[in-house]
Amino acid sequence: DVSLEIGRGEIHALLGENGAGKSTLVKMIYGLVKPDSGKMQLNEAVFTPKDPRTARASGVGMVFQHFELYPHMSVLNNVILAPIKAKKLPKAQAEEIGLKVLDQVGILDQADKFPAELSGGQQQRAAIARALALEPKLILFDEPTSALDPELISEVLKVMLKLAQTGMTMLVVTHEMGFAREVA
């Protein structure tokens, strides 16, 4: 019995105690968890539990708690993998997009490094760049600062604030109450 409507350019924060289902909801929207019933709609596209398509195919990006970057690939290659595989973009075009979004999140200078060479905040910004590279209509954030040291949280929140100011539609699972009050 969950209903949620997010308008274009809106930022919503999901708040609640541990185990309440916040992460499950965003994973369901993204297509990682299959709902038992109901439907999801993104613009005109409707998705049901029996439908093999997912919202990912219709412009939803996701940023996970624990970055989920491939350790054997450079930051740039992590970012361009989905545009090449999912959107069938030529590598040169994907790299152009990848460099643009890495610049957007403030880590263009880290493009050739591997995830283990980055701070947690830089890794999370790389994960945000990966989501942006698919030019999503909606980005889901599943506790994007929970795996970070306190001093690194602010750099990720600044990037998210910049995204909010550009009109990006976002659904954020967070325990950062100040960020939720300011942005959502």
Side-chain angles (χ1 to χ4, degrees):
D1 295 328
V2 175
S3 294
L4 174 66
E5 185 173 324
I6 302 173
R8 181 173 283 128
E10 292 181 349
I11 296 98
H12 289 258
L14 283 177
L15 308 170
E17 60 190 45
N18 290 336
K22 304 175 302 293
S23 293
T24 300
L25 179 61
V26 294
K27 288 175 183 173
M28 197 174 295
I29 293 168
Y30 194 60
L32 296 175
V33 173
K34 196 171 185 176
D36 296 323
S37 63
K39 69 176 183 176
M40 290 184 285
Q41 182 171 342
L42 179 64
N43 297 324
E44 289 76 39
V46 177
F47 308 95
T48 64
K50 295 186 183 342
D51 190 341
R53 297 174 304 149
T54 66
R56 282 179 276 185
S58 291
V60 176
M62 183 151 177
V63 178
F64 299 90
Q65 288 182 44
H66 299 288
F67 325 130
E68 305 298 335
L69 299 171
Y70 292 109
H72 64 286
M73 297 172 69
S74 71
V75 169
L76 179 59
N77 284 332
N78 266 282
V79 170
I80 68 171
L81 182 63
I84 291 171
K85 297 288 185 187
K87 290 182 123 181
K88 308 291 188 226
L89 292 183
K91 186 174 182 180
Q93 186 179 354
E95 284 179 346
E96 187 177 313
I97 292 167
L99 294 171
K100 180 181 128 198
V101 295
L102 286 171
D103 188 38
Q104 186 177 351
V105 300
I107 58 166
L108 179 60
D109 60 334
Q110 307 299 316
D112 294 326
K113 292 188 177 176
F114 290 87
E117 299 175 281
L118 305 180
S119 71
Q122 290 170 323
Q123 288 182 51
Q124 192 60 293
R125 288 187 283 160
I128 293 169
R130 179 184 54 204
L132 289 172
L134 288 171
E135 301 170 327
K137 298 173 185 134
L138 165 68
I139 297 184
L140 307 169
F141 291 88
D142 186 14
E143 297 190 46
T145 59
S146 69
L148 300 177
D149 293 331
E151 64 272 8
L152 300 176
I153 291 173
S154 67
E155 67 186 48
V156 172
L157 293 178
K158 284 178 188 172
V159 168
M160 292 173 66
L161 185 57
K162 279 177 36 181
L163 284 176
Q165 292 166 346
T166 68
M168 176 59 69
T169 306
M170 300 189 294
L171 178 59
V172 184
V173 174
T174 186
H175 292 287
E176 297 293 333
M177 295 303 293
F179 175 79
R181 278 189 203 98
E182 182 178 348
V183 177

